[in-house]
Amino acid sequence: MSIELLLNLQQEVRRLFVAGSALAEGDLRLSKLVPSLRKIGEAAPVFSRLADAAEGLLSAPRAASSVKLLELSTLLSAILHTQGKTDVQGNPQPIESAGLQLSTELTYRRLHPMLTALTTKGQGRLEQLRQSYEERSFLDLRVIPAICGALDDVYAEIPEFVQDKMIPEIGQAAVPVLRTGLNLQGGKGDARRLKLLYQLQGDLVLELVKEAGDSGSLELKLAAIELLGGYPDQEDFLLEQSAEKRREVRQAAYYALARLGTPKAIGRLLEASKSKGGEQVIDAIRACDELALHKRIIIEADQELSRCLELAGKERVTAIGQLYTYIRCLEGHGHQLAAEALPLVKRLLHTEAFIVADTEAVQETAADLLLELNSEEADAFGIELHTLYKRKFIGYSFRAAYRRLSLTELYDRYAEDVKGRSASAKSLQSALQSLVNSQLYEDGERGYAVPEGAWDSRWVHLFAEQGMTELVCCFAREGDRGIPAYLTSKLEERARINDHQTLNVLTTLFRINYKKAPELLLELLRSQGKRMFYYMDIRLQRMIALLPKSYATELRIIAEGMAYESVKQHMIELVEALEAAPDDAASERGSGVWEWIKNKMS
């Protein structure tokens, strides 16, 4: 029997129901189906009944056509209901359930924004995913396919967030979907799936990881090599991959061998460091926790130094490059290797024949390593470098001395060297500024002054004498004679309110409780052109918050004259908050009033 013929007849019957049965008499489209129905009716009598009913409708007068159309439709519907199939081709197979432990209690309205973010393109999607993550609405059975599908998203931050945050919390419920979606010949998204499967199931997917390493695409191969670094029985495979032609594969294998840390792995990494392109293995060696490797590199570096001192021409250049590779490999493990590495570093920095122009990169790396050793003996040697080679290593010497000398000894020894614009003075100034910066950012947020008692009090006057205003601002303390006068002099040269140095100086004057600081700030605010205020620096906001309430009226006048509406509104909010501040907050110094105003404006 022909289902297609029955469906065609059903379509014509529906058409006549819509058009009206009165139009069925002699209908050409229905008439064309009758011969086919008669022919099939020779084998199946029910089709002959359909043909009779169709002819009855075609020849029926208008008054009886509705009854005939209903008879044809009823018979056709009964026949169609007998033609459906409930079985499928093939043999039954078990299916793996996905995430049945997750709930489906949320309404689709709640899920829709997250599903849209996971399955479409455009801005704001990552923020939506973060919100869904915080609300825990992603822990729903219905969104697992979309979440796993987002591992292929072209906007890198989306799959990274899904991989790092969402799927690990979904847990085992995501495994079936990840397995189904995994293509060993795929790209970055499939590499993420492989890593997640291993993260969730460990050794249960080890064979799959091995298969990806043997025959997967480049992305899958790299992921598999990374994962196999924890299995000693994969040593031969990793050694083989470390000799692969493709650079990416070699580097992945180096990292895996560094993680493995077996004698053969260490030997291969050492061999790679000696080969052409040895810089490719430096980061992997740094990541290796087996100090036996680094101790062997120290021995090799010592021998390479001897070669450098004996060779000339291209051979010397090659030897210097190799030595540079060795020294860089030791970075990150200096303190652990202090006893073994110090003799090498001493020899490097104490051999006058080596302190020449073509070895400067090696010298600087060795000096960095010396500081990293962080031992008493190493720092003592660093201090000895103070005046050697025309004070070439004075910056490193100063860092070592800061750790070992008293504050008085440090100043007495190095203060004179800070003066001037010589190369050694600039090197020392840079080292000093670097130390200060590390102290200012110690807690993650930038401070404005070095810790109390961290430096000799004489430094601030030396910096003022040398015109080093930024350091003066960091070192100034309440009661330092002459420092307020020095700082205020820096505001008299057409100071611009949003200039970095101006803000630093004003902040320092407020910090050391200089009496005239509020008036200086107000005077600068008055003197600026209305277009000078194109943003409100956080330091400026803090200082305005510290002004007396009596300044509020004039501050409002200044705000009204600002050209940029956003800055104007920000300034007015500050003024209003200052006016509303309780008297006890307004009378505080430091952060009290500022914290109150921040809460008021939030």
Side-chain angles (χ1 to χ4, degrees), residues 4-21 23-24 27-34 37 54 57-58 69 72-73 76:
E4 183 179 356
L5 179 60
L6 292 174
L7 293 175
N8 288 338
L9 178 59
Q10 183 185 47
Q11 182 177 348
E12 299 307 322
V13 170
R14 286 176 177 171
R15 177 177 59 82
L16 290 172
F17 268 116
V18 173
S21 61
L23 301 177
D27 186 82
L28 292 177
R29 291 167 64 176
L30 183 60
S31 299
K32 290 180 180 180
L33 298 177
V34 174
L37 292 170
L57 176 60
L58 288 167
L69 178 59
L72 175 60
S73 175
L76 175 61

Side-chain angles (χ1 to χ4, degrees), residues 96-106 111 114-115 136-148 170 172-174 176-177:
E96 192 171 3
S97 63
L100 295 183
Q101 70 269 34
L102 295 181
S103 69
T104 55
E105 297 176 355
L106 294 177
L111 297 179
M114 175 174 52
L115 288 170
R136 319 306 290 165
S137 59
F138 72 102
L139 295 173
D140 190 289
L141 172 64
R142 293 164 291 177
V143 298
I144 293 179
I147 289 175
C148 293
I170 292 172
Q172 296 298 319
V177 182

Side-chain angles (χ1 to χ4, degrees), residues 299-374:
I299 295 172
E300 295 288 339
D302 192 64
Q303 295 173 356
E304 203 65 37
L305 174 57
S306 297
R307 294 183 68 242
C308 287
L309 296 173
E310 295 171 359
L311 297 174
K314 291 183 179 180
E315 291 182 336
R316 174 181 166 83
V317 172
T318 302
I320 291 172
Q322 184 62 62
L323 181 58
Y324 184 44
T325 297
Y326 285 147
I327 303 302
R328 290 171 64 196
C329 286
L330 300 175
E331 292 177 346
H333 293 274
H335 187 58
Q336 297 167 286
L337 297 165
E340 292 83 3
L342 183 56
L344 171 63
V345 176
K346 277 186 173 182
R347 189 178 173 211
L348 280 165
L349 299 180
H350 225 300
T351 303
E352 190 168 354
F354 189 76
I355 311 300
V356 290
D358 59 353
T359 64
E360 279 192 352
V362 184
Q363 297 169 36
E364 291 176 4
T365 307
D368 283 327
L369 181 60
L370 175 66
L371 291 176
E372 192 182 321
L373 300 183
N374 196 17

Side-chain angles (χ1 to χ4, degrees), residues 19 30 43 65 124 229 236 278 315 330 390 460 480 504:
L30 183 60
S65 62
D236 290 341
E315 291 182 336
L330 300 175
K390 299 180 180 180
V460 68
D480 285 336
N504 263 358

Side-chain angles (χ1 to χ4, degrees), residues 34-46:
V34 174
S36 299
L37 292 170
R38 290 289 182 197
K39 185 174 181 179
I40 297 177
E42 295 174 2
V46 70

Side-chain angles (χ1 to χ4, degrees), residues 247 250-251 254 269-285 321-322 325-326 328-329:
R247 176 175 178 171
R250 290 199 308 274
Q251 288 185 318
Y254 292 151
L269 292 172
L270 186 61
E271 177 188 349
S273 70
K274 298 178 183 180
S275 63
K276 184 178 180 181
E279 67 277 358
Q280 296 176 21
V281 78
I282 291 174
D283 289 337
I285 291 177
Q322 184 62 62
T325 297
Y326 285 147
R328 290 171 64 196
C329 286

Side-chain angles (χ1 to χ4, degrees), residues 54-268:
E55 287 181 339
L57 176 60
L58 288 167
S59 59
R62 289 193 174 189
S65 62
S66 59
V67 176
K68 294 296 183 180
L69 178 59
L70 186 60
E71 289 177 355
L72 175 60
S73 175
T74 303
L75 179 59
L76 175 61
S77 178
I79 295 172
L80 282 170
H81 277 82
T82 67
Q83 303 307 304
K85 293 184 178 181
T86 59
D87 59 336
V88 294
Q89 296 291 331
N91 299 319
Q93 299 290 334
I95 62 171
E96 192 171 3
S97 63
L100 295 183
Q101 70 269 34
L102 295 181
S103 69
T104 55
E105 297 176 355
L106 294 177
T107 63
Y108 185 75
R109 183 189 297 272
R110 287 279 306 278
L111 297 179
H112 182 262
M114 175 174 52
L115 288 170
T116 301
L118 290 166
T119 57
T120 62
K121 304 265 188 289
Q123 297 180 343
R125 295 187 297 140
L126 182 59
E127 288 71 20
Q128 178 59 56
L129 293 185
R130 285 174 175 157
Q131 181 178 340
S132 300
Y133 179 78
E134 292 172 2
E135 295 173 350
R136 319 306 290 165
S137 59
F138 72 102
L139 295 173
D140 190 289
L141 172 64
R142 293 164 291 177
V143 298
I144 293 179
I147 289 175
C148 293
L151 292 169
D152 297 307
D153 199 285
V154 295
Y155 180 48
E157 292 189 30
I158 296 288
E160 285 174 6
F161 185 79
V162 168
Q163 180 181 359
D164 296 340
K165 297 289 187 180
M166 301 181 87
I167 293 181
E169 290 210 35
I170 292 172
Q172 296 298 319
V175 169
V177 182
L178 291 171
R179 274 185 172 273
T180 302
L182 179 64
N183 175 14
L184 293 184
Q185 301 304 318
K188 291 182 179 180
D190 291 290
R192 294 188 179 99
R193 288 184 180 87
L194 184 66
K195 290 181 179 180
L196 283 165
L197 282 170
Y198 182 81
Q199 180 180 342
L200 294 171
Q201 294 204 297
D203 290 348
L204 294 176
V205 294
L206 184 57
E207 292 304 316
L208 184 63
V209 173
K210 290 179 181 179
E211 183 182 351
D214 286 331
S215 58
S217 65
L218 177 61
E219 296 289 351
L220 273 294
K221 190 180 206 53
L222 296 177
I225 290 172
E226 178 184 336
L227 297 174
L228 292 174
Y231 294 89
D233 63 335
Q234 294 300 306
E235 181 182 69
D236 290 341
F237 170 74
L238 296 176
L239 289 171
E240 179 185 341
Q241 297 304 311
S242 71
E244 232 265 12
K245 290 183 179 180
R246 288 175 290 186
R247 176 175 178 171
E248 303 97 321
V249 177
R250 290 199 308 274
Q251 288 185 318
Y254 292 151
Y255 274 102
L257 289 170
R259 182 182 172 194
L260 200 59
T262 61
K264 285 187 178 180
I266 289 174
R268 179 68 186 102

